[in-house]
């Protein structure tokens, strides 16, 4: 399952979205994939938490919703082996992590090398890890944002597909800043998946190159408006 994406010749890429929580980014992806012309379709939503709101969003959209609880397994490797089995059973070709709160082993990440995206609520490489909005406020940056990137074994690392910046306003607190960033997340995750699934965004070493045909999309790649 590792390596670069196969040419999809007009076929829609079969995607699993992995969630642990409410799934508002999942919803943005489901909404985009509802268009039959979108180059990807969501065939599975997988969660490590049975109570994740994202599972309800999947069911409402008529998408398979499966829980694999990490608590049922002795270690990460057996938990991930169970997830792999579910992914294989659903014919999944590509993974989007959307608020999936388990650290994945290097072995799992390598198996999905070039076939797994994550969304992170900061302008990477700034502010990796948790509490990114608090980190941004503490650093006093004037711009903050979000990043969709391919997943590498190192946390919050990997070739960047799309970023969006938002201003940090004088009265911002963590909540107001998070809400502004989340709005941008919902815009860029579907855009990133579209660029990758259509073959317009291709990994080249540590970076992602955009094909010329993606030039129109490129204009939105760093949207600064709301
Ligand atoms: C988002 O902020 C995303 O960037 C981060 O986890 C959060 C998930 O939110 N990785 P939601 O479940 O998509 O609403």
């Amino acid at each position: 399952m590792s390596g670069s994406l196969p040419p999809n010749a007009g076929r829609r890429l079969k995607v699993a979205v992995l969630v642990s929580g409410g799934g508002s980014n999942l919803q943005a992806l489901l909404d985009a994939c509802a268009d039959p012309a979108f180059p990807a379709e969501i065939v599975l939503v997988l969660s490590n938490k049975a109570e994740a709101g994202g599972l309800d969003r999947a069911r409402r959209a008529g998408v398979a919703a499966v829980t694999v609880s990490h608590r049922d397994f002795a270690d990460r490797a057996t938990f991930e082996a169970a997830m792999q089995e579910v992914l294989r059973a659903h014919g999944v070709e590509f993974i989007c992590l959307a608020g999936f709160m388990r650290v994945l082993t290097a072995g799992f990440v390598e198996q999905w090398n070039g076939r797994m995206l994550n969304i992170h609520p900061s302008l990477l490489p700034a502010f990796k890890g948790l509490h990114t909005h608090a980190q941004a406020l503490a650093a006093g940056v004037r711009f903050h944002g979000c990043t969709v990137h391919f997943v590498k074994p190192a946390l919050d690392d990997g070739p960047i597909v799309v970023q969006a910046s938002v201003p940090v306003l004088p009265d911002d607190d963590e909540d107001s800043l998070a809400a502004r960033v989340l709005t941008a997340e919902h815009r860029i995750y579907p855009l990133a998946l579209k660029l990758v699934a259509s073959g317009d965004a291709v990994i080249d070493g540590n970076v992602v190159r955009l094909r010329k045909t993606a030039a129109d999309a490129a204009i939105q790649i760093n949207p600064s408006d709301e």
Side-chain angles (χ1 to χ4, degrees):
M1 276 190 266
S2 71
S4 58
L5 277 177
N8 68 359
R11 209 172 51 77
R12 302 178 82 192
L13 189 67
K14 293 184 190 307
V15 175
V17 184
L18 271 54
V19 300
S20 298
S24 68
N25 278 289
L26 162 66
Q27 190 64 54
L29 293 170
L30 285 168
D31 292 347
C33 290
D35 177 356
F38 196 83
E41 61 178 323
I42 299 174
V43 297
L44 171 70
V45 172
L46 181 55
S47 177
N48 64 309
K49 293 190 167 189
E51 69 276 18
L55 292 171
D56 293 327
R57 293 182 190 270
R59 290 183 199 107
R60 278 201 294 275
V63 171
V66 176
T67 302
V68 179
S69 173
H70 58 282
R71 295 186 192 282
D72 292 342
F73 299 91
D75 52 36
R76 277 184 208 279
T78 50
F79 165 59
E80 290 177 353
M83 286 203 299
Q84 292 282 27
E85 194 44 50
V86 175
L87 293 164
R88 198 165 20 245
H90 287 81
V92 171
E93 302 169 307
F94 196 91
I95 293 176
C96 289
L97 302 177
F100 185 68
M101 300 306 282
R102 302 303 296 173
V103 173
L104 296 166
T105 65
F108 186 95
V109 172
E110 290 300 344
Q111 277 194 284
W112 290 93
N113 184 34
R115 297 161 183 249
M116 181 157 59
L117 293 175
N118 181 45
I119 187 155
H120 181 75
S122 79
L123 289 172
L124 290 173
F127 312 138
K128 296 180 178 185
L130 297 174
H131 309 300
T132 56
H133 311 303
Q135 290 188 54
L137 290 170
V141 293
R142 298 301 187 219
F143 286 94
H144 184 38
C146 46
T147 303
V148 179
H149 63 97
F150 281 97
V151 178
K152 291 287 175 190
L155 194 67
D156 301 327
D157 195 24
I160 290 169
V161 185
V162 181
Q163 291 186 302
S165 59
V166 303
V168 180
L169 302 178
D171 292 335
D172 269 334
D173 58 19
E174 254 183 274
D175 289 345
S176 62
L177 189 52
R180 194 173 306 119
V181 171
L182 196 61
T183 301
E185 291 182 39
H186 299 161
R187 199 166 51 217
I188 69 167
Y189 214 168
L191 171 60
L193 180 58
K194 183 179 181 183
L195 289 170
V196 170
S198 64
D200 281 342
V202 177
I203 298 177
D204 178 10
N206 292 326
V207 301
V208 170
R209 306 273 177 216
L210 294 173
R211 284 206 340 203
K212 274 216 160 53
T213 50
D216 285 350
I219 216 160
Q220 304 168 48
I221 284 196
N222 300 295
S224 57
D225 57 332
E226 284 302 299

